[in-house]
Amino acid sequence: MKVLAIDIGGTHVKLLVTGQKEHSEFASSPELTPAMLLAGVRKLAKHWKYDVVSFGYPGPVSHNRPLAEPFNLGKGWVGFDYRAAFKRPVKIINDAAMQALGSYRRGRMLFLGLGTGLGSAMIVDGVLEPMELGHLPYKKATFEDYIGIRGLEKHGKKKWLKHVADVVQRLSAALEPDEVVIGGGNIHQLKVLPPGCRAGDNDNAFLGGFRLWQKSNARKNLAGAMPDRIKRKETKVRVMNKTKKSRI
């Protein structure tokens, strides 16, 4: 089965189909609607063969449907008939959850996406659970108010880094993951990662789109299933306290 994976961002929409080595993309914008998405996908994918479609949606998703209009795109996403538009089965998932699924190796993994807000998802023995941890209260606001882009701009990088480390520690203590994967557009701000963390890569979203069509029991141990192209691209970041082997 060939899968077309679509990663919808605020600046670009990126596509990759099973078997390809490099993705294609077209420009996104605050005016992007589902009809414009469909037109762009059809133009780039007109010579591709694929059986099903997955895409990461920048907003909450439930039962394969967007629950709210995206903050940084146009209108019309809620209630749109995606299966009829693509003429194929479609699976829709939150964009952070799709990147989490592509980053997963084994056991209990917590994914945190540092971007405009705070994307989050948890995977336990191959079972994916999208989460909205960014909206939980923290200090005088919420987690994403402090470690999303607003926190970086308001408090400056030095304080933002401290907040990131503190939030990771708090969420790790509460959820007890075997590892934490940190991804998102602001991962490059972290020259050093908190203990027990590894850096993700945005291209993992495509792998997550492919894996979305697997059964959960087929995802229990995927440590050796990551393509070499994505393995090589995973960011190499030093880990704090290398000698401390604590499980968080």
Side-chain angles (χ1 to χ4, degrees), residues 158-194:
K158 186 175 181 180
K159 286 187 177 180
W160 181 81
L161 290 171
K162 289 182 178 179
H163 292 147
V164 169
D166 184 51
V167 169
V168 169
Q169 183 180 27
R170 288 168 183 259
L171 293 177
S172 296
L175 298 170
E176 297 185 329
D178 298 315
E179 66 172 350
V180 179
V181 174
I182 301 179
N186 285 327
I187 179 65
H188 66 278
Q189 301 282 355
L190 302 178
K191 301 302 181 185
V192 177
L193 288 181

Side-chain angles (χ1 to χ4, degrees), residues 26 33-43 80 82 84-87:
F26 62 92
T33 64
M36 294 167 66
L37 170 75
L38 187 65
V41 170
R42 283 177 172 169
K43 183 177 180 180
F80 188 81
Y82 296 94
F86 282 100
K87 298 184 170 86

Side-chain angles (χ1 to χ4, degrees), residues 136-143 146-147 162-164 166-167 170:
L136 293 176
Y138 177 68
K139 294 184 182 290
K140 297 180 180 180
T142 66
F143 283 131
Y146 279 84
I147 67 173
K162 289 182 178 179
H163 292 147
V164 169
D166 184 51
V167 169
R170 288 168 183 259

Side-chain angles (χ1 to χ4, degrees), residues 24 34 39 55 68 83 85 87 90 92 112 114 119 133 140 144 152 155-156 183-184 188 200 219 221 231:
S24 298
F55 74 79
R83 183 185 178 104
K87 298 184 170 86
V90 176
I92 305 171
L112 299 174
L114 303 177
L133 299 176
K140 297 180 180 180
E144 75 175 19
L152 179 58
H155 301 290
H188 66 278
R219 308 177 193 145
N221 189 340
K231 282 181 183 176

